[in-house]
Amino acid sequence: MSELIRWSAAELAERLTAGDVSSVEAVRAHVDRIAEVDPDVHAFLHVAGDAALARAEQIDRQRADGAELGPLAGVPIAIKDVLCTKDMPSTAASRILEGWIPPYDATPVARLRAAGLVPLGKTNMDEFAMGSSTEHSAYGPTRNPWDLTRIPGGSGGGSAAAVAAFEAPVALGSDTGGSIRQPAAVTGSVGVKPTYGGVSRFGAIALASSLDQVGPVSRAVLDAALIHDVIGGHDPLDATSIPDAWPSMAAAAREGAASGSLAGVRVGVVRQLNGDGFQAGVRQRFAEALERMAAAGAEVVEVEAPNFEHAISAYYLILPAEASSNLAKYDSVRFGLRVEQAGSTTEQMMARSREAGFGPEVKRRIILGTYALSAGYYDAYYGSAQQVRTLVQRDFDAAFEQVDVLVSPSTPTTAFPLGQKVDDPMAMYLNDVTTIPANLAGVPGMGLPIGLAPEDGLPVGLQIMAPARQDARLYRVGAVVEALLEAEWGGPLLAQAPQLGGTRSPLQFAATPGTAPAAGTGTEPDGGTR
Ligand code: GLN
């Protein structure tokens, strides 16, 4: 394996600028890596190897000509298939959009291209971003690079797995209820859901418009920040885009890593997002991460968010309601799959096409959402869910009066086996118990690796949440935590993991080195809540 695929995007960018390596070499190494491992991992639905090499060549030429290039010019990136790309199919992993090539780029994609990043291809996901395991993709699941029998998380399992398997240094994801943070947690990568309105949704195939946000996936906090700086900021094409200027996320990450200090930072541990239903090793690593934060000067306190208990119930009414409305446009008249039969009416054609084009989870949510929005039930379901959403927002407001950031484990468990929850929607939904509140309130959240669970040697994530518009705070605090842990580990988790070609024993990633796997403490059976 070429060493350069193990570099972070920031390192690669530096070496590109210094002329140590060309963009063609960088892209080729990643395309080769994809050819080598993706038959097993299946992170990609579409690989644009030739187009990527052609673009890389162009950037190398521009650099040689002395053109002024952005700091990330020439760095390859993977893009979740929920984002429209005018030169690659954009299917949201659904049959109904099979082969569809949009006439335009999503704004985040257009901004990446303008900054000189090189799209490698489109990554796998749960169909229309509905799921927590990528098993609801119409094109087959992605596998977790740490253990190919396990899920990579979802819906953005493809982007997270691509980054974790060194198929791309960075990727784009989308997060409606956790689809960036949860896959990051179970693959040992970093993922950020920005403040609602912080990154344009223009050209992001909509799941639930009041919850969706596009964000970065990476192996390092700084890399996520660098991508966030490129894709973020006002976009007149998205009516919910925040018009104000944003501080540099990369500057915040660099400042955090350089200072190594959390002095003066008040960290609130959400009591409702940790507890009995969480896997023992997840709780252990989380507790150790809190100790590290306290040792770095943070004031760690417990906070209450009583309405978070109901967030998941509210989410599974609001999301299907919005999704049923958003997905009504797939009528097979103007684009997408069309199932014709001689003599059938337009309506029958639409029904047949939707029957053939949507998978079971998508149908389940369309039916649920249509029901929740129907005249007689609107107040009882959708209306009450919106009231709960307000209560969740108030819990955040109250908590952020006491603390600067909130923390929890990113997920209740480590990666579970493929097949375990795919036929059990409730068990699948419960994976997002920790991540959903941030979407309901529109606040930003980051997931980053804090070690491996002693009982199964799989990655555990820490979630950090900040008030709306305070995304830079996530990067600052995240970079401090990352720097502290990497100092103990001797480097990034993913760059050294033995499952991924590294040389360290998984147990050395324990914050308490040498902790032996406790016998019989397996993954909690249902990844339950509390
Ligand atoms: N797993 C959650 C769901 O199924 C979140 C999905 C997402 O964030 N796109 O809705």
Side-chain angles (χ1 to χ4, degrees), residues 80 126 128-133 136 154-156 174-182 207 212 315-316 319 361 365 428-429 431-432 435-436 439:
K80 188 179 182 183
D126 288 291
F128 285 107
M130 298 180 187
S132 305
S133 69
H136 292 311
S155 64
S174 69
D175 190 312
T176 304
S179 286
I180 290 176
R181 291 162 286 158
Q182 184 259 7
L207 168 54
D212 298 342
Y315 173 88
Y316 277 102
L319 178 136
E361 181 63 22
R365 295 198 195 190
M428 192 68 90
Y429 297 170
N431 283 288
D432 303 305
T435 48
I436 279 172
N439 299 79

Side-chain angles (χ1 to χ4, degrees), residues 37-44 124-125 133-135 137 139-153 156-165 167 183 186-187 415-419 458 500:
V37 302
D38 215 53
D40 289 329
V41 176
H42 193 220
F44 284 87
N124 199 9
M125 53 184 283
S133 69
T134 315
E135 293 169 288
S137 167
Y139 304 101
T142 297
R143 293 167 183 276
N144 191 321
W146 288 82
D147 176 347
L148 295 174
T149 69
R150 291 181 185 257
I151 60 106
S159 282
V163 164
E167 296 172 83
V186 299
T187 59
F416 48 90
L418 284 156
L458 292 167
L500 305 167

Side-chain angles (χ1 to χ4, degrees), residues 183-523:
V186 299
T187 59
S189 42
V190 176
V192 175
K193 181 205 94 73
T195 295
Y196 184 79
V199 175
S200 174
R201 288 182 298 110
F202 178 76
I205 296 172
L207 168 54
S209 307
S210 76
L211 303 161
D212 298 342
Q213 266 303 282
V214 176
V217 181
S218 64
R219 294 188 293 266
V221 171
L222 175 59
D223 284 2
L226 289 164
I227 297 299
H228 194 144
D229 284 338
V230 172
I231 62 175
H234 183 239
D235 177 13
L237 299 175
D238 173 355
T240 61
S241 170
I242 297 173
D244 310 347
W246 294 80
S248 163
M249 307 299 157
R254 287 198 170 101
E255 195 273 309
S259 84
S261 167
L262 293 173
V265 179
R266 296 165 302 166
V267 174
V269 181
V270 185
R271 194 177 66 78
Q272 284 76 7
L273 300 185
N274 186 25
D276 288 344
F278 284 59
Q279 187 179 322
V282 168
R283 297 178 64 182
Q284 186 185 333
R285 293 294 171 251
F286 177 63
E288 291 162 356
L290 294 177
E291 282 169 25
R292 298 297 177 277
M293 293 174 91
E299 185 193 324
V300 180
V301 296
E302 189 169 78
V303 301
E304 296 288 336
N307 296 294
F308 283 18
E309 305 250 7
H310 310 296
I312 204 160
S313 314
Y315 173 88
Y316 277 102
L317 285 166
I318 293 168
L319 178 136
E322 293 188 21
S324 70
S325 162
N326 275 325
L327 269 57
K329 65 174 162 279
Y330 300 106
D331 58 10
S332 303
V333 172
R334 284 150 299 184
F335 58 91
L337 177 84
R338 184 189 290 207
V339 181
E340 301 271 20
Q341 219 171 68
S344 57
T345 64
T346 305
E347 229 175 4
Q348 286 166 333
M349 180 280 288
M350 288 179 186
R352 265 194 210 102
S353 302
R354 286 168 70 86
E355 161 62 27
F358 289 136
E361 181 63 22
V362 173
K363 287 178 186 153
R364 182 180 297 124
R365 295 198 195 190
I366 290 174
I367 292 168
L368 196 61
T370 307
Y371 178 78
L373 288 177
S374 56
Y377 298 104
Y378 185 93
D379 287 337
Y381 294 116
Y382 184 74
S384 320
Q386 289 291 22
Q387 288 171 335
V388 172
R389 184 175 191 169
T390 302
L391 295 175
V392 169
Q393 285 161 346
R394 286 191 191 148
D395 280 358
F396 272 111
D397 290 346
F400 285 131
E401 298 223 326
Q402 304 162 50
V403 296
D404 302 305
V405 292
L406 293 170
V407 293
S408 76
S410 291
T411 52
T413 69
T414 56
F416 48 90
L418 284 156
Q420 191 186 70
K421 300 183 184 178
V422 68
D423 296 321
D424 183 350
M426 284 304 287
M428 192 68 90
Y429 297 170
L430 288 173
N431 283 288
D432 303 305
V433 65
T434 42
T435 48
I436 279 172
N439 299 79
L440 288 176
V443 304
M446 167 185 284
L448 76 162
I450 50 171
L452 304 180
E455 62 268 39
D456 55 20
L458 292 167
V460 175
L462 169 72
Q463 175 177 230
I464 311 174
M465 295 173 282
R469 297 169 189 250
Q470 301 302 324
D471 306 46
R473 198 178 289 170
L474 296 180
Y475 288 104
R476 192 192 175 278
V477 173
V480 174
V481 174
E482 177 184 66
L484 293 172
L485 290 172
E486 289 189 0
E488 292 179 27
W489 298 335
L493 183 78
L494 276 162
Q496 298 184 77
Q499 292 92 328
L500 305 167
T503 51
R504 275 169 81 90
S505 149
L507 294 177
Q508 288 176 277
F509 291 109
T512 40
T515 313
T521 50
T523 305

